[in-house]
Amino acid sequence: MDYEAVIGLEVHAQLLTKTKIFCSCSSEFGAAPNTHTCPVCLGMPGVLPVLNRKVVDYTIRMALATNCTIARESRFARKNYFYPDLPKGYQISQYELPIAEHGHIFIEVNGGRRRIGITRIHMEEDAGKLIHDPNRPVSAVDFNRTGVPLIEIVSEPDIRTPEEAGAYLRKLRAILQYLEICDGNMEEGSFRCDANVSVRPVGTDTFGTRTELKNMNSFKHVENALTYEIERQKEVIEDDRELVQETRLWDPDTGVTVSMRGKEEAHDYRYFPDPDLLPLVVDEAWIEEIRSTLPELPDDRRARFVEAYGIPLYDAQVLTSSRPLADYFEACVEHFPEPKTVSNWVMGSILATLKTQNKTVEESPVSPERLAELLRLIDSGVISGKIAKTVFDEMLSSGKPPEAIVQEKGLVQVTDAEAITEVINQVLSDHAKEVSDYKAGKTKLFGFFVGQVMKGTRGKANPKMVNEILKNLLE
Ligand code: ADP
Ligand code: MG
Ligand code: ZN
């Protein structure tokens, strides 16, 4: 039997507000443990939460960017459970009346485009962080993170493959980053994802039993965990065993998912409206004010790149995948207005460099201005495209401007016809045998002669001139 997967994702994104959601403690990452705390976020009895307006602003930004309907009135609820990282014994979250619902985004997979529904977006507070000491039988708790604002973005079960799940997450993260409301760092946990997955025979329209996967801290992990879990579920069904609705942990070392606990139900949490917080009322003016300040979003920017710069859709897709990368490209085009050439270099040498040096584009060792200088040197014939690669590598190691490198290393292209002719004559007299073979019809030796001439000029001869002069001399 053929099966298809049904996948729905729950994403938690940490918002980049200066302070926490219900108190004025700093929400900055990386401070000494328990220094960003106060009676409110430590859950002392009798304190009262006060909602941070900026959290609502940011959530509305995301809601608008993902085509959601914004509730004029929403509520906060208490989600009750016990865990040492949750001092109050409940998490303040939105439950029955979330701030945003019924949205969607588009993803691009295999040249096609799919619409993925967003069920809801709601605000909630983060819990603290437990630190387990491998050398002592104790765990420590850091409450700096309690009360840091999160939004949870729940998708409809519209995703069908692990690849689509990856594309959905990348698009969602790009939107958050374009909006500048979340840094999207999966390793540090500011962008987290739980994946719900079930399988069903192709052609049926009811859903199978789902499992919920946790502990994936990269896009690759999410895709790998889903691929594994889909296969596992198929086997369970084929073996006539029973699928259990449960939460499973992904183990990246062994590449399998392991049962963690039975799936909790909403009623286990005893949700009820938080009596300490008033209903949140958002008026039309507030929404419109935020709408008017939305930046250009990834899909629009991609379309503009194709339109305005005439680059292929694929290039535009890669270049707009992050806002800083798109900014880098545009800054470079401003200084060297040949978009396709710039795109080739950014998608090639620049991205490869960032990858090997494990850097973000903002940390690029070659600035857009410097890259433009290099491209101008090729364009004006000072260096060949091949030598440009050498200059680029030198720019990486020395940080010097391309022009200085070309002068210092004597890399200026040889465009002196006489000098080139001289080298060619030498090559031809050194290879008399090949010359007679060539004349006897073995014309593919032409490339061999070109290679020898380039070798003789240490790659500096103008390739076009070499071709022309060589052709003349051989004829
Ligand atoms: P819970 O908090 O119980 O996990 P949520 O409603 O927050 O419930 O999230 C449920 C997620 O699971 C959604 O993303 C939804 O699309 C997805 N989902 C629901 N049913 C299925 C199913 N049968 N197979 C796969 N995903 C599912
Ligand atoms: Mg869940
Ligand atoms: Zn506090």
Side-chain angles (χ1 to χ4, degrees):
M1 181 138 29
D2 275 346
Y3 293 93
E4 74 172 353
V6 171
I7 298 166
L9 301 178
E10 294 164 79
V11 167
H12 285 91
Q14 238 176 45
L15 298 180
L16 286 169
T17 53
K18 289 201 180 71
T19 57
K20 295 185 179 182
I21 182 169
F22 297 120
C23 64
S24 52
C25 290
S26 165
S27 57
E28 202 187 343
F29 181 82
N34 298 308
T35 53
H36 291 170
T37 54
C38 73
V40 174
C41 56
L42 287 173
M44 298 292 166
V47 293
L48 290 172
V50 177
L51 180 59
N52 179 341
R53 186 184 173 95
K54 205 80 196 174
V55 171
V56 183
D57 266 336
Y58 283 6
T59 309
I60 294 174
R61 279 168 87 80
M62 187 59 179
L64 291 173
T66 54
N67 309 293
C68 287
T69 304
I70 292 162
R72 301 297 294 268
E73 189 172 318
S74 68
R75 278 213 76 110
F76 286 94
R78 293 185 178 181
K79 179 180 182 178
N80 300 278
Y81 67 95
F82 172 79
Y83 209 62
D85 63 7
L86 188 74
K88 291 198 300 297
Y90 60 86
Q91 177 196 28
I92 305 177
S93 179
Q94 292 195 301
Y95 179 59
E96 273 168 328
L97 295 171
I99 186 163
E101 290 181 284
H102 314 301
H104 66 266
I105 62 168
F106 289 98
I107 59 168
E108 292 75 28
V109 197
N110 296 325
R113 189 169 134 102
R114 288 207 59 217
R115 179 190 195 274
I116 307 296
I118 305 266
T119 315
R120 55 188 273 149
I121 299 180
H122 70 247
M123 296 170 274
E124 60 186 32
E125 57 179 348
D126 209 345
K129 202 166 115 192
L130 290 177
I131 298 145
H132 307 287
D133 188 336
N135 301 313
R136 293 193 304 153
V138 298
S139 289
V141 61
D142 177 4
F143 288 125
N144 283 350
R145 208 177 63 184
T146 55
V148 166
L150 300 176
I151 51 175
E152 178 172 339
I153 306 156
V154 181
S155 88
E156 289 290 303
D158 288 346
I159 299 164
R160 292 290 169 268
T161 64
E163 194 189 4
E164 284 182 8
Y168 169 82
L169 290 174
R170 287 187 178 89
K171 180 58 75 67
L172 216 53
R173 188 175 72 157
I175 295 171
L176 289 163
Q177 290 173 334
Y178 268 66
L179 295 170
E180 296 179 311
I181 60 172
C182 171
D183 66 22
N185 190 324
M186 256 184 129
E187 284 80 25
E188 281 177 12
S190 45
F191 184 87
R192 317 196 273 265
C193 167
D194 297 341
N196 298 270
V197 57
S198 59
V199 299
R200 64 181 177 191
V202 171
T204 50
D205 53 10
T206 50
F207 290 152
T209 302
R210 69 166 151 140
T211 56
E212 184 181 41
L213 311 181
K214 288 181 180 288
N215 195 40
M216 292 96 55
N217 60 6
S218 73
F219 293 129
K220 259 274 93 63
H221 285 182
V222 175
E223 291 179 29
N224 293 344
L226 282 168
T227 304
Y228 172 86
E229 182 63 13
I230 291 164
E231 281 313 307
R232 189 192 70 84
Q233 290 189 10
K234 280 188 207 166
E235 276 173 29
V236 171
I237 295 170
E238 293 279 298
D239 288 358
D240 261 337
R241 283 179 284 140
E242 202 191 340
L243 260 178
V244 190
Q245 180 167 337
E246 61 183 356
T247 300
R248 299 179 67 88
L249 280 190
W250 167 247
D251 181 342
D253 297 325
T254 52
V256 303
T257 62
V258 195
S259 176
M260 175 177 139
R261 58 167 187 240
K263 176 85 187 99
E264 71 283 2
E265 301 285 345
H267 62 245
D268 295 330
Y269 290 116
R270 290 287 181 267
Y271 279 100
F272 64 88
D274 192 316
D276 288 340
L277 286 154
L278 292 167
L280 169 65
V281 176
V282 174
D283 63 16
E284 206 57 41
W286 191 1
I287 298 173
E288 288 318 308
E289 183 195 320
I290 294 170
R291 197 193 302 277
S292 71
T293 63
L294 287 184
E296 185 181 34
L297 292 167
D299 288 358
D300 293 333
R301 199 166 192 186
R302 188 189 54 214
R304 180 169 62 79
F305 274 22
V306 171
E307 182 89 348
Y309 298 122
I311 57 173
L313 183 63
Y314 175 79
D315 293 36
Q317 173 81 25
V318 174
L319 294 170
T320 57
S321 62
S322 92
R323 186 171 171 175
L325 183 64
D327 289 345
Y328 185 101
F329 168 78
E330 291 209 275
C332 193
V333 169
E334 207 171 290
H335 293 92
F336 184 76
E338 283 186 29
K340 181 56 184 158
T341 308
V342 173
S343 166
N344 289 346
W345 276 81
V346 173
M347 297 205 309
S349 302
I350 294 290
L351 284 186
T353 302
L354 298 177
K355 193 163 181 205
T356 47
Q357 299 192 359
N358 198 16
K359 284 188 171 148
T360 66
V361 67
E362 291 108 315
E363 304 162 332
S364 172
V366 173
S367 69
E369 292 77 17
R370 283 280 157 83
L371 180 60
E373 282 170 33
L374 178 68
L375 300 185
R376 263 200 305 276
L377 290 178
I378 308 172
D379 195 51
S380 57
V382 175
I383 55 172
S384 67
K386 192 164 176 313
I387 288 292
K389 302 273 183 210
T390 314
V391 177
F392 184 82
D393 288 341
E394 188 64 28
M395 287 165 76
L396 291 181
S397 53
S398 71
K400 288 183 184 158
E403 207 139 353
I405 294 167
V406 169
Q407 295 308 332
E408 265 171 40
K409 305 240 151 186
L411 295 172
V412 176
Q413 180 163 234
V414 179
T415 50
D416 175 352
E418 235 169 85
I420 292 175
T421 307
E422 202 173 300
V423 179
I424 293 178
N425 280 329
Q426 188 62 46
V427 166
L428 297 184
S429 71
D430 286 351
H431 297 91
K433 168 86 171 59
E434 284 81 0
V435 173
S436 59
D437 287 353
Y438 178 87
K439 289 189 171 153
K442 219 173 154 192
T443 52
K444 66 168 193 259
L445 276 169
F446 192 80
F448 165 78
F449 296 126
V450 172
Q452 290 301 310
V453 175
M454 293 315 272
K455 210 168 137 193
T457 57
R458 301 205 338 264
K460 291 186 295 181
N462 177 314
K464 201 162 153 251
M465 293 178 73
V466 172
N467 274 286
E468 280 170 14
I469 299 173
L470 186 61
K471 198 162 236 156
N472 277 336
L473 288 178
L474 282 170
E475 275 162 22

